Amino acid sequence: MEGAFKGFGQKAIPFLKALDFHQSREWFLENRDLFERELREPFGDLVETLTERFAAAGLGLRGDRKKSLFRINRDVRFAKDKRPYNRHLSAILSPDGTKMEQGVFYAHIGLEGCFAGVAWWQPGAVLLLAMRRAIATQPDKFRAMVKALKKNGLELDTEGCMKRTPRGFEHVTDAGLVAAIRNRHFVVRHAIDPAGIHGPALVDELVDFTLRARPLLDWGRAIEGRALAG
């Protein structure tokens, strides 16, 4: 199909390294064509190719090259670090194609690593409470989801979890459930070999990962549906 993902350019990572070194608007503008050709346009192709593949697989995730990509520019208004440019480029595919939804696919190509994730990331207070209550009141469903992920070679990320059990869940004593209730996010990740970003096989790799992460999507969507209905 026209616009099918063929791979990121060979200079994609070198461009990010040079941009990180210069951190200069003048340098970026001089090299903008390189950015568009090696990184941004291929990322747009990746988003739209994945949208078609995700639709065919019934994953309920979509995006487009205009809405899904994050800006390379950093928001420095309230940051101590005033460097104007990110060290990565990233994108989200979501149920409605915007960046405002939960239960998303995220792809990240950068100097700190290349990876993908399926995530309920910083869900709002109502949804996060509903997820925690689901863990406490329907532990078998949560354990089945975790078991299915493990069978698929994935496990929930524990980064950023609370040190103490949130109020209202003190009665939960099972160590595994307590650890899950302390999560602020529900995320699984897939490391991408930077050497593998330059060809179309990356699409199959990311579709395979997202299918393996489907138990997390299904678990969260069922809870979200009840929370919104309530």
Side-chain angles (χ1 to χ4, degrees):
M1 66 183 179
E2 186 179 353
F5 178 73
K6 301 178 180 65
F8 289 96
Q10 293 294 330
K11 296 180 181 177
I13 299 298
F15 170 85
L16 289 172
K17 289 180 179 178
L19 177 63
D20 189 47
F21 174 78
H22 290 281
Q23 286 292 343
S24 158
R25 184 172 183 270
E26 291 74 21
W27 187 91
F28 179 76
L29 292 176
E30 288 175 5
N31 293 274
R32 187 173 191 121
D33 288 347
L34 186 65
F35 167 69
E36 296 287 345
R37 183 177 67 250
E38 301 288 301
L39 262 171
R40 187 171 178 82
E41 285 303 317
F43 221 141
D45 293 342
L46 178 62
V47 165
E48 294 186 349
T49 302
L50 285 174
T51 293
E52 293 201 6
R53 291 287 301 274
F54 286 171
L59 285 164
L61 295 166
R62 61 189 173 94
D64 65 58
R65 65 179 62 245
K66 291 184 178 179
K67 295 179 182 177
S68 298
L69 271 66
F70 288 93
R71 299 177 67 208
I72 192 74
N73 306 72
R74 296 181 65 246
D75 184 351
V76 299
R77 289 174 298 172
F78 307 107
K80 291 182 180 180
D81 183 353
K82 297 299 183 182
R83 289 178 298 175
Y85 296 102
N86 285 311
R87 307 174 76 239
H88 63 267
L89 194 64
S90 58
I92 275 184
L93 283 78
S94 70
D96 69 353
T98 73
K99 299 187 183 82
M100 306 305 293
E101 288 282 295
Q102 284 290 336
V104 302
F105 169 89
Y106 174 81
H108 180 110
I109 303 297
L111 301 183
E112 57 283 310
C114 300
F115 65 90
V118 166
W120 301 83
W121 185 261
Q122 294 182 341
V126 172
L127 179 55
L128 181 57
L129 180 60
M131 289 176 145
R132 287 170 170 167
R133 284 177 173 165
I135 294 168
T137 61
Q138 298 178 308
D140 290 346
K141 289 186 177 181
F142 174 75
R143 291 190 182 108
M145 181 269 288
V146 171
K147 185 177 180 180
L149 289 176
K150 187 173 183 179
K151 183 179 179 182
N152 293 342
L154 300 171
E155 60 181 38
L156 289 174
D157 193 337
T158 59
E159 181 182 348
C161 67
M162 299 174 66
K163 293 182 179 179
R164 295 184 179 182
T165 303
R167 188 177 301 173
F169 295 92
E170 296 87 354
H171 63 285
V172 180
T173 56
D174 180 277
L177 298 181
V178 170
I181 287 169
R182 289 179 179 179
N183 280 338
R184 291 186 173 95
H185 327 286
F186 295 90
V187 184
V188 289
R189 299 177 189 260
H190 168 73
I192 300 169
D193 183 350
I197 69 171
H198 305 296
L202 180 61
V203 173
D204 288 337
E205 179 181 336
L206 296 179
V207 171
D208 173 72
F209 159 66
T210 310
L211 286 169
R212 290 187 289 118
R214 190 168 196 158
L216 174 59
L217 285 172
D218 292 344
W219 176 79
R221 285 171 177 170
I223 296 166
E224 185 179 44
R226 293 194 299 270
L228 292 177

